Amino acid sequence: MDSQPINQLIDCPITIEDDRTGTTVQTLKRALADNLYYLQGKDETFATLYDYFMALAYTVRDRLVHRRIKTAQTYFDKDVKMVYYLSAEFLIGRLLINNLINLGLYEQMKQALQESGLNLDDLMEREEEPGLGNGGLGRLAACFLDSLAALEIPAVGYGIRYEFGIFDQLIADGWQTERPDNWLQFGNPWEMPRPDYTVGVKFGGHTEGYTDANGVHQIRWVPQVTVLGTPYDTPIPGYDNNTVNTLRLWAAKAGEDFDLSTFNAGDYTQAVANKTFSENISKVLYPNDNTPQGKELRLQQQYFFVSCSLQDIIRLYLRKHDTFDAFPEKMAIQLNDTHPAIGVAELMRLLLDEYFVPWEKAWDITHRTFAYTNHTLLSEALERWSVSLFGRLLPRHLEIIYEINRQFLEEIRAKYPGDAGKLNRMSLVEEGEDKKIRMAHLACVGSHAVNGVAALHTELVKKDLFRDFYELWPEKFQNKTNGITPRRWLLMSNPELSDLISEKIGKNWVKHLDELKKLEAFVDDPEFRVRWRQIKQSRKASFAGYILRNNGIEIDPNSIFDIQIKRIHEYKRQLLNVLHVIALYNQIKDNPSIDVVPRSVIFGGKAAPGYFMAKW
Amino acid sequence: MSQITLYHWVNSLYPASDLSEQISTAGKEASGTGNMKFALNGSLTIGTLDGANVEIREEVGAENFFLFGLTAQEVTDLRAKGYNPLEYYHSNSELKRVIDQLSSGFFSPKEPGLFMPIVSSLLNGDEYMLFADFQSYLDCQARAAEAYRDQDNWTRMSIINVANMGKFSSDRSISDYCKDIWHVQPVPIDLGEYSQSSAGLNVTRSLDNVPSV
């Protein structure tokens, strides 16, 4: 060996795997030890469960990084069309198991840990859950990210890196109490900060006109404060492929010049106090589901992450393009509900004021780029912001929305002459003593497609919620029934049933869920039915054990497990379920010898902290 | 309950369920996805014709779904006609008894008025029409309980539910978005071979003009 010339060493074939990409048990063991040593700065003498979890997470992350870099390179080289999914919530859940399964590393890692004297289940327990969402809408966004990666679709999810996620629920004396969810306190091994892509987001102030070098009248927004948004990237691997997309979440920070004038005036404490305005923006997730609070901070959050994301998207586009002509052909932006609807006005502002694109062209680009998903028919859940608040916070956007509205209403007036009712109903501005901006209308007018999330819902959107808009633009409306990722919701959460299914019909169902149809061939197979039932029974017994340990209540695993788990909300009618329970109770009390089928009724869910009836 | 235990609770809960409660007032739930998570784990649904329940029932077959309650159209019509919860209260003795128990403090003897906010919201308007659906829900629950006695047939229904959940994969949702709204194509990623000879850095471009990601 020593006597070999150096060039022969370099040319020799690989004899060992790279420690950061290799997937054999030997390599994983070495990588775990290495990450524990060099990233946690510990060895077996001092390492805690937390250190081992971090070492494990970094070992998995290394395998993601390699794929992430190749994915980013490929998207860049090929200048592919990208999907940008804007959502105020991403309820992605714990990532370790998800990443192990999607990378196909689960079995090897389990063994590598075992051979190292560790247990994967114990380490999985140590992971904090990012609770960056309320309920269905946030989890849908997470399922969509998983599917985008599984289908090898170039995509980025954009949202907010809330410092505090959805509150932890405690039940004390029958009442819900809330505890802050400080999920970042031990650090987050999955995310990578990208401070070099920090952007500024303006708030408040006023606008002023000026004439540019070409003699064209332009508008300039002079803000009261500029907040900085720093992106944190979380890798999103596809199941059984090499794609790793990104979830890019924005954290708000104070700008260096945040309070220069205050500093100069000598008021140091006021200057530091002002810093909290900026940092508060990404502090906490609003714990409301289908019941928005018209709070100023909420609008600040929405504008903050939308502006950061759109500036980022434009930066990415301009890497390969000199003009905005191809923007809608390269960038598809999806608005997940009305929370990011301000994006319509923000893209217009960026194109008009920052890149000097003329109005007609900017409007054409904007509405060909955006699409909007409506998630609720509850009219109280559709956001409306008072014009006074809006104008104070986003003066330039108010001007732009007024101009969009003026042109839009002109179109309506021409199409339906003399129909004042229609103008009132469709306007982006709700008239009245306290005038309001209707964000759902802005999203609808500024998008080329509007979709509901189930067939019935889409019909009601067309018939009731957006009736006038549907009459005007029937081609704009479509249905996209929601879905769930079979990876998390069957493969990972129910391994026993998954194994039985795969044994019968193969494993293709994980990527092609339609294949489950093949199970019907076995429905009359008594042995299959017995095994099916045994698995259900074993899951029920294990859940009964959990309830006994945690709630001190013994339930019969042979009873019907009758379960309602979802946000507590009047329209979901947990109360109807309770009325049934009381009626059953009465039937049994009236006739103790009655032959009832034993039943365990199980409720789970959080109530918005300020929602009086839901907490009762 | 900490977030960690709650998470495990949820993940062990769908596989452990027999009957999934999807009982929103028709026309109020946009889609729901919990309904899909239960059904994919072999749970049968008791539900209204609301949100994606409608499509789940279409896929798994009416005979494998416990349906009750007003339709969205009936909810609208009833409201237009003038909905009066007191009519149901006075004409349904079982319902009246339950409500009277709540208002009299039968379940909260130490604090008899505890449930009054709930009772009065039901008697004064009942915006989500619990009373209108009460009897239908009770009857449907009784059917579900009877069906559960026949374990063999229940298991059969459970298998058929899972077998027909293909439509509710988010892969299907995303494929539809890609085709109909985003007009994007899959881009497979080639990892290439790892080679020690190319493991070192080789910076050739100017750092003044680095593309961002």
Side-chain angles (χ1 to χ4, degrees):
Chain A
M1 207 45 195
D2 285 346
S3 61
Q4 281 184 338
I6 192 91
N7 65 331
Q8 272 190 342
L9 266 182
I10 290 169
D11 289 341
C12 78
I14 318 154
T15 52
I16 55 158
E17 282 187 311
D18 175 59
D19 271 6
R20 291 191 192 265
T21 57
T23 56
T24 62
V25 173
Q26 271 314 313
T27 304
L28 292 174
K29 281 166 68 179
R30 220 169 39 240
L32 285 165
D34 191 78
N35 282 333
L36 180 70
Y37 205 89
Y38 290 105
L39 290 176
Q40 288 305 106
K42 292 206 184 164
D43 64 6
E44 295 95 317
T45 322
F46 298 108
T48 62
L49 191 64
Y50 162 74
D51 293 314
Y52 288 121
F53 164 73
M54 293 298 271
L56 169 58
Y58 285 126
T59 305
V60 176
R61 195 181 85 167
D62 286 342
R63 273 93 198 136
L64 293 168
V65 165
H66 177 49
R67 288 169 169 78
R68 172 62 206 148
I69 288 174
K70 288 289 181 192
T71 302
Q73 263 172 11
T74 308
Y75 294 169
F76 176 66
D77 290 345
K78 296 189 172 170
D79 192 25
V80 298
K81 183 169 188 180
M82 301 280 304
V83 175
Y84 298 103
Y85 198 82
L86 268 57
S87 177
E89 303 181 7
F90 285 94
L91 205 41
I92 51 177
R94 289 159 144 187
L95 292 176
L96 177 59
I97 178 71
N98 186 72
N99 293 342
L100 283 172
I101 296 278
N102 280 7
L103 285 172
L105 270 181
Y106 182 80
E107 293 300 335
Q108 299 95 297
M109 190 60 90
K110 203 175 166 138
Q111 196 187 333
L113 288 165
Q114 213 162 30
E115 291 180 15
S116 310
L118 293 163
N119 179 304
L120 178 55
D121 291 339
D122 294 343
L123 294 177
M124 286 193 319
E125 287 289 330
R126 195 61 188 75
E127 182 173 6
E128 286 283 342
E129 176 174 356
L132 307 186
N134 273 288
L137 177 142
R139 183 54 229 178
L140 181 79
C143 283
F144 277 10
L145 290 182
D146 184 74
S147 285
L148 283 161
L151 295 172
E152 303 178 313
I153 301 297
V156 178
Y158 278 114
I160 300 174
R161 184 176 176 272
Y162 299 104
E163 209 176 311
F164 292 88
I166 187 72
F167 60 86
D168 289 342
Q169 180 190 55
L170 294 170
I171 306 288
D173 207 15
W175 299 91
Q176 170 180 294
T177 55
E178 298 90 23
R179 292 277 176 282
D181 164 46
N182 192 4
W183 72 289
L184 285 168
Q185 62 182 325
F186 292 106
N188 176 355
W190 306 111
E191 68 181 9
M192 294 195 195
R194 303 285 184 203
D196 41 346
Y197 305 146
T198 295
V199 296
V201 179
K202 303 178 196 179
F203 285 97
H206 64 276
T207 64
E208 56 191 30
Y210 69 99
T211 304
D212 70 14
N214 302 319
V216 182
H217 182 74
Q218 305 285 5
I219 307 284
R220 176 193 297 136
W221 176 13
V222 184
Q224 188 189 345
V225 59
T226 299
V227 174
L228 298 182
T230 297
Y232 287 71
D233 290 352
T234 301
I236 306 291
Y239 176 75
D240 194 28
N241 63 32
N242 295 325
T243 296
V244 175
N245 285 331
T246 298
L247 170 61
R248 181 161 278 184
L249 301 177
W250 298 95
K253 317 242 155 114
E256 271 176 50
D257 58 342
F258 64 97
D259 38 20
L260 210 52
S261 56
T262 323
F263 260 123
N264 291 346
D267 192 348
Y268 169 75
T269 41
Q270 185 57 43
V272 176
N274 287 350
K275 209 166 128 71
T276 59
F277 167 83
S278 306
E279 290 171 354
N280 269 341
I281 290 179
S282 58
K283 187 69 78 182
V284 62
L285 167 78
Y286 271 93
N288 298 324
D289 193 59
N290 272 317
T291 46
Q293 286 180 327
K295 292 281 165 66
E296 185 166 346
L297 178 57
R298 180 71 169 161
L299 179 57
Q300 289 166 8
Q301 290 185 335
Q302 293 175 355
Y303 176 62
F304 167 73
F305 97 87
V306 166
S307 177
C308 288
S309 307
L310 289 176
Q311 291 182 62
D312 206 51
I313 291 167
I314 288 176
R315 179 179 56 75
L316 292 168
Y317 172 81
L318 291 176
R319 295 182 305 181
K320 292 267 184 175
H321 300 268
D322 299 323
T323 74
F324 284 93
D325 294 349
F327 197 80
E329 279 79 52
K330 291 293 174 187
M331 309 307 207
I333 304 179
Q334 191 68 31
L335 303 170
N336 193 27
D337 214 359
T338 50
H339 316 135
I342 185 66
V344 171
E346 173 66 357
L347 184 57
M348 284 298 288
R349 184 191 71 83
L350 290 165
L351 293 173
L352 293 167
D353 298 354
E354 309 282 334
Y355 296 96
F356 311 109
V357 178
W359 180 282
E360 289 70 27
K361 177 137 201 192
W363 182 243
D364 178 66
I365 290 168
T366 297
H367 100 277
R368 283 166 59 209
T369 301
F370 282 108
Y372 159 58
T373 303
N374 173 274
H375 278 277
T376 184
L377 293 159
L378 306 180
S379 65
E380 70 269 23
L382 294 173
E383 290 170 303
R384 297 174 180 84
W385 295 106
S386 93
V387 164
S388 58
L389 164 64
F390 209 95
R392 182 157 46 77
L393 211 58
L394 305 171
R396 179 59 179 140
H397 297 79
L398 189 60
E399 293 173 2
I400 290 171
I401 288 171
Y402 277 154
E403 180 56 20
I404 294 172
N405 198 38
R406 191 190 63 75
Q407 297 192 9
F408 171 60
L409 292 182
E410 216 164 75
E411 192 186 327
I412 302 303
R413 216 173 271 121
K415 184 140 183 171
Y416 309 97
D419 194 342
K422 209 174 217 8
L423 285 175
N424 268 331
R425 291 195 303 273
M426 297 183 81
S427 174
L428 306 190
V429 184
E430 187 177 285
E431 299 297 333
E433 229 161 80
D434 182 22
K435 288 211 292 185
K436 291 192 158 90
I437 305 294
R438 296 162 163 161
M439 300 309 281
H441 289 201
L442 177 64
C444 186
V445 171
S447 297
H448 66 90
V450 176
N451 74 282
V453 291
L456 171 66
H457 171 237
T458 301
E459 285 315 302
L460 295 173
V461 162
K462 294 198 271 197
K463 203 157 64 91
D464 298 333
L465 192 66
F466 289 139
R467 183 189 193 128
D468 295 303
F469 293 92
Y470 175 62
E471 272 175 35
L472 181 65
W473 302 307
E475 69 288 350
K476 213 185 239 205
F477 289 80
Q478 39 182 304
N479 177 54
K480 293 284 166 282
T481 299
N482 283 167
I484 57 175
T485 167
R487 272 75 64 184
R488 181 168 287 263
W489 298 111
L490 184 51
L491 183 69
M492 295 173 210
S493 69
N494 202 344
E496 289 164 300
L497 190 63
S498 295
D499 287 348
L500 176 61
I501 292 170
S502 298
E503 184 191 312
K504 289 290 174 192
I505 65 170
K507 224 181 161 179
N508 254 345
W509 63 268
V510 179
K511 284 205 269 191
H512 304 279
L513 200 62
D514 284 329
E515 299 245 334
L516 290 179
K517 191 80 182 167
K518 292 181 180 166
L519 287 174
E520 284 194 343
F522 302 94
V523 78
D524 291 316
D525 172 351
E527 185 248 331
F528 179 65
R529 284 211 295 247
V530 166
R531 289 178 64 194
W532 189 277
R533 190 152 69 228
Q534 278 169 350
I535 290 169
K536 181 63 81 182
Q537 279 309 116
S538 112
R539 292 296 86 220
K540 286 171 71 176
S542 138
F543 184 55
Y546 172 86
I547 291 192
L548 184 60
R549 283 192 307 280
N550 281 269
N551 305 71
I553 299 169
E554 196 176 341
I555 61 174
D556 173 8
N558 293 313
S559 61
I560 305 181
F561 279 20
D562 171 351
I563 305 184
Q564 187 169 22
I565 177 162
K566 45 183 79 243
R567 284 304 284 257
I568 311 291
H569 202 300
E570 285 169 281
Y571 84 82
K572 294 178 187 280
R573 301 201 296 192
Q574 281 89 358
L575 188 51
L576 180 60
N577 193 344
V578 171
L579 297 185
H580 169 245
V581 171
I582 298 175
L584 268 187
Y585 168 87
N586 287 335
Q587 285 171 20
I588 296 167
K589 282 287 183 184
D590 288 350
N591 180 7
S593 62
I594 193 173
D595 176 25
V596 293
V597 180
R599 183 192 289 257
S600 306
V601 185
I602 298 151
F603 294 87
K606 294 179 180 178
Y611 188 175
F612 175 81
M613 285 306 288
K615 292 182 87 168
W616 216 264
Chain B
M1 190 181 301
S2 80
Q3 199 67 37
I4 290 170
T5 51
L6 187 70
Y7 171 88
H8 269 260
W9 185 53
V10 169
N11 271 312
S12 56
L13 186 146
Y14 292 114
S17 70
D18 295 307
L19 192 59
S20 152
E21 298 272 353
Q22 308 300 334
I23 61 177
S24 51
T25 318
K28 295 291 181 188
E29 188 75 87
S31 164
T33 44
N35 46 7
M36 303 170 189
K37 291 162 197 168
F38 278 109
L40 184 60
N41 283 276
S43 181
L44 305 190
T45 305
I46 181 165
T48 48
L49 282 180
D50 199 17
N53 295 353
V54 178
E55 290 157 80
I56 291 175
R57 182 166 171 270
E58 268 170 27
E59 294 295 310
V60 306
E63 66 282 14
N64 301 304
F65 186 105
F66 296 104
L67 177 71
F68 77 96
L70 299 174
T71 64
Q73 189 59 51
E74 286 165 349
V75 167
T76 309
D77 293 346
L78 183 54
R79 187 153 291 133
K81 199 180 80 179
Y83 172 61
N84 181 7
L86 290 176
E87 280 175 25
Y88 298 87
Y89 172 77
H90 288 299
S91 64
N92 187 324
S93 58
E94 203 168 6
L95 173 63
K96 183 170 187 305
R97 182 172 170 197
V98 169
I99 296 302
D100 290 348
Q101 284 170 320
L102 284 172
S103 54
S104 68
F106 182 82
F107 296 107
S108 55
K110 284 185 191 148
E111 207 180 328
L114 181 64
F115 298 118
M116 279 318 285
I118 288 173
V119 170
S120 56
S121 99
L122 290 174
L123 293 175
N124 300 308
D126 184 17
E127 192 186 343
Y128 298 100
M129 297 193 175
L130 279 71
F131 285 10
D133 278 345
F134 176 81
Q135 193 56 51
S136 170
Y137 181 55
L138 252 61
D139 296 344
C140 192
Q141 285 283 20
R143 287 202 304 279
E146 278 315 303
Y148 192 74
R149 287 183 199 272
D150 183 350
Q151 276 292 298
D152 215 36
N153 191 51
W154 184 278
T155 303
R156 189 191 155 84
M157 291 196 284
S158 166
I159 296 168
I160 291 174
N161 262 264
V162 174
N164 289 285
M165 287 303 290
K167 177 178 180 182
F168 304 101
S169 168
S170 47
D171 297 346
R172 190 272 314 148
S173 308
I174 287 298
S175 298
D176 289 351
Y177 276 94
C178 288
K179 182 162 52 74
D180 303 333
I181 296 180
W182 300 330
H183 311 292
V184 291
Q185 304 293 328
V187 178
I189 306 300
D190 181 10
L191 283 188
E193 289 291 315
Y194 170 73
S195 154
Q196 276 180 323
S197 62
S198 61
L201 288 174
N202 181 22
V203 181
T204 56
R205 70 165 88 226
S206 156
L207 294 182
D208 296 335
N209 189 25
V210 179
S212 46
V213 297

